[in-house]
Amino acid sequence: MSMAAMVETQLPGDRISKRNFDKLARFIYDYSGIKMPPTKLTMLEGRLRRRLRATNHSTFDDYCDFLFNHDGLAQETVYLIDVVTTNKTDFFREAKHFDYLQSVALPAIAGSGVRTIRTWSSACSTGAEPYTMAMVLAEFTEGRSDVSYSVLATDLSTDVLQTARRGVYPDDLIAPVPRDLQRKYVLVAKQPGRKEVRISPKLRSRVGFARMNLMDDKYPVGDLMNVIFCRNVLIYFDKQTQAGVLSRLCDCLAKGGYLFIGHSESITGFDLPLKQVSNTVFQRV
C-alpha cells in the first residue's frame, strides 16, 4: 500500500459513525428496500470511499453532512445506490429455468394465441439474464410467422445498465452458453489477446433497457407481461417489502403468464394469484 493510501485510510473521522450509518441504512432501505445491517458497515465504508473522493469530501462525517443537511441526496442518490447494490450475474444462471421456459412456458403461451411474447427481466444487472432470455426466445420464434417476442430489462443501478447496453463481456463469462448459440449470438474480438466478446447487434436490438426501482408504487412496463424474471432479488428484502414487490409484479403479469424467482427464494405465506408449476416457477391464475 502506498504512503498516500495509508494516510487516506487513517484520516481522523474516516469511519462511518453509528449515527450516520443508521441514517444511511434507513435511506437505502426506504429508497431501494435493501437491508443494511451493522455487519455491512465495513463494506459500506469501502464502497463509499470513491464517492468521498468524487464529491471532494475528506471524511464520512463531511459526506453525510452533505447528504442529509445540504440537500446532497438530490444529486447523489443514483451514485449512492449504485455502490451498494450487488450485481452477481451469469449467462444461463439456474439453467433449469431456461429449460422450462423453452420446453413448457413458451409453447403454452404461443399455443394460447399470444402473437408477441412480452418478457421482462426485472433485475437485469449487467445483462446476462435478459440476453439469455433473448437467445431462448429467438430460437423459439425462429422461422415462425405466428409469434414474435420482446424483452424488457430493468435495474436500479445505472452502472450495470450501461454495461448491459454495451453487451461486452469477458470471454469466460459466456462459457455456459451452448456452442451453437455462441456461434449465432456472440461476436469474438478480432484483436489477438483481447479476451472479450460482444452480444450480436441483432440480439441487442431486441432488448430494451431502462432504470426502474422495484420499490416504486407502480411499474410502468406497458402492456401485461407473459414472462417475468425476478430472481435473487427478494432475498435482499424483508417480508413486508417482498410482499409489496410480488404483488406489483403480479399486477404486471398476464393471465397464464409465468413468474420465475431465484432457487433460494420462496413466496410461501403470501396471498398472490399464483400457482406453482415447477421449482420456483409460478403461473398467474
Side-chain angles (χ1 to χ4, degrees):
M1 179 184 292
S2 69
M3 183 61 68
M6 291 176 65
V7 170
E8 181 184 33
T9 59
Q10 294 170 0
L11 283 172
D14 192 32
R15 299 299 306 270
I16 299 177
S17 68
K18 182 181 185 306
R19 178 173 61 87
N20 282 328
F21 178 80
D22 289 345
K23 285 183 178 180
L24 287 165
R26 169 51 60 182
F27 173 77
I28 292 166
Y29 175 80
D30 288 344
Y31 185 87
S32 68
I34 297 172
K35 295 175 290 184
M36 192 64 55
T39 54
K40 297 289 184 71
L41 172 62
T42 301
M43 179 275 285
L44 186 61
E45 287 175 341
R47 293 188 179 184
L48 282 181
R49 283 197 172 91
R50 61 175 176 167
R51 294 312 307 162
L52 266 68
R53 293 191 291 271
T55 55
N56 294 316
H57 292 98
S58 58
T59 68
F60 286 114
D61 283 345
D62 290 343
Y63 178 71
C64 290
D65 183 60
F66 161 68
L67 291 180
F68 299 113
N69 299 325
H70 295 90
D71 297 323
L73 285 171
Q75 65 189 70
E76 189 67 9
T77 292
V78 169
Y79 304 108
L80 176 60
I81 296 301
D82 277 349
V83 301
V84 300
T85 49
T86 301
N87 296 297
K88 167 67 175 171
T89 186
D90 293 296
F91 286 87
F92 285 89
R93 185 181 184 185
E94 299 179 354
K96 289 184 178 179
H97 278 164
F98 296 102
D99 293 339
Y100 187 90
L101 179 67
Q102 181 179 32
S103 62
V104 179
L106 294 181
I109 294 166
S112 71
V114 172
R115 297 299 302 271
T116 300
I117 301 174
R118 289 174 48 79
T119 66
W120 177 22
S121 170
S122 64
C124 69
S125 187
T126 53
E129 180 177 271
Y131 287 134
T132 301
M133 294 166 67
M135 290 179 195
V136 173
L137 285 154
E139 290 296 292
F140 178 76
T141 59
E142 187 175 40
R144 297 182 61 154
S145 60
D146 62 324
V147 63
S148 62
Y149 73 93
S150 67
V151 181
L152 172 65
T154 64
D155 202 278
L156 180 61
S157 169
T158 55
D159 281 352
V160 299
L161 286 170
Q162 185 175 4
T163 299
R165 287 189 180 99
R166 289 183 65 231
V168 176
Y169 303 99
D171 59 2
D172 59 351
L173 194 67
I174 64 155
V177 180
R179 288 290 183 180
D180 59 328
L181 300 187
Q182 288 188 31
R183 287 191 291 269
K184 293 176 73 171
Y185 303 117
V186 180
L187 306 177
V188 179
K190 294 181 180 179
Q191 299 92 327
R194 185 175 179 180
K195 296 186 177 183
E196 288 183 337
V197 297
R198 189 170 197 179
I199 302 301
S200 70
K202 184 176 181 180
L203 199 71
R204 292 203 315 273
S205 70
R206 301 303 300 267
V207 183
F209 292 96
R211 185 174 185 268
M212 187 180 297
N213 188 349
L214 292 175
M215 292 296 288
D216 289 346
D217 292 336
K218 292 184 178 180
Y219 303 152
V221 298
D223 294 338
L224 294 176
M225 294 288 170
N226 304 109
V227 174
I228 298 176
F229 275 57
C230 186
R231 305 189 304 165
N232 307 302
V233 179
L234 298 174
I235 54 174
Y236 297 105
F237 301 151
D238 59 25
K239 286 291 185 181
Q240 181 179 354
T241 304
Q242 289 176 5
V245 169
L246 286 165
S247 178
R248 293 188 291 274
L249 289 173
C250 288
D251 289 342
C252 299
L253 191 61
K255 183 179 178 181
Y258 296 84
L259 172 66
F260 294 75
I261 64 174
H263 285 326
S264 61
E265 297 170 327
S266 171
I267 68 167
T268 301
F270 298 121
D271 183 17
L272 299 166
L274 299 171
K275 66 176 181 179
Q276 185 165 358
V277 291
S278 187
N279 184 24
T280 58
V281 182
F282 304 87
Q283 190 173 26
R284 181 76 153 85
V285 296

